[in-house]
């Protein structure tokens, strides 16, 4: 089975987190924390900053790694490093996603998440009390 390592970014602002709806591929219409695959020689944090710039057109401040999740999808194993971050500069512009929303703790589970992203919702809910 193929293995993929990605950086997911939980961007927070005013007690809410940014969620994005995939607009392509097998998992189209599911929601995720933005981010993507690491490039060779890149750290997880570097991938997080690059991917958010490419997908959303903003510069982020990565605050910390909050967890690493392993998840087996039917065709690949995903290792997802999840980083807490905030927007440092710029205005979010969706470049790859179909839709997006800022979700507070009460609405965090109101969208159909990708399974790996859904697996960290308890952690994100706990963190929401501090941001």
């Amino acid at each position: 089975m193929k293995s993929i390592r990605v950086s997911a970014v939980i961007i927070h602002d005013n007690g809410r987190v940014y969620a994005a709806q995939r607009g392509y591929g097998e998992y189209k219409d599911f929601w995720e924390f933005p981010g993507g695959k690491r490039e060779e020689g890149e750290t997880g944090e570097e991938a997080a900053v690059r991917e958010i710039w490419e997908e959303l057109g903003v510069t982020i401040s990565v605050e910390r790694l909050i967890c690493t999740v392993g998840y087996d999808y039917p065709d690949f194993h995903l290792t997802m490093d999840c980083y807490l971050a905030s927007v440092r500069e710029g205005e979010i512009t969706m470049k790859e996603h179909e839709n997006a929303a800022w979700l507070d703790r009460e609405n965090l589970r109101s969208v159909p998440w990708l399974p790996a992203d859904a697996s960290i919702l308890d952690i994100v809910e706990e963190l929401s009390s501090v941001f």
Side-chain angles (χ1 to χ4, degrees):
M1 183 181 290
K2 178 170 73 168
S3 285
I4 299 173
R5 183 148 206 159
V6 301
S7 291
V9 184
I10 295 86
I11 301 171
H12 68 90
D13 182 49
N14 260 350
R16 302 170 303 159
V17 295
Y18 187 83
Q21 186 180 31
R22 292 177 65 90
Y24 58 90
E26 182 179 350
Y27 297 99
K28 182 184 180 323
D29 296 330
F30 281 91
W31 289 69
E32 65 183 353
F33 293 107
K37 293 179 190 172
R38 280 196 202 179
E39 293 181 354
E40 190 170 330
E42 194 173 45
T43 67
E45 190 172 312
E46 290 167 340
V49 170
R50 177 186 52 76
E51 284 286 343
I52 296 306
W53 174 252
E54 290 174 2
E55 290 182 14
L56 303 176
V58 295
T59 303
I60 57 169
S61 293
V62 176
E63 296 166 17
R64 65 183 168 110
L65 175 69
I66 59 170
C67 66
T68 297
V69 172
Y71 191 87
D72 287 325
Y73 283 94
D75 298 333
F76 61 94
H77 175 78
L78 179 74
T79 301
M80 183 170 73
D81 296 316
C82 305
Y83 294 90
L84 187 63
S86 57
V87 174
R88 186 174 75 216
E89 188 176 309
E91 189 90 16
I92 291 178
T93 305
M94 285 190 309
K95 296 180 179 181
E96 296 183 13
H97 294 95
E98 188 171 84
N99 198 0
W102 286 97
L103 301 175
D104 59 20
R105 184 180 179 148
E106 291 75 30
N107 294 302
L108 190 59
R109 296 175 190 268
S110 66
V111 298
W113 290 94
L114 284 168
D117 294 73
S119 74
I120 68 163
L121 293 180
D122 288 343
I123 295 168
V124 174
E125 283 177 335
E126 287 177 34
L127 289 170
S128 69
S129 64
V130 296
F131 51 70

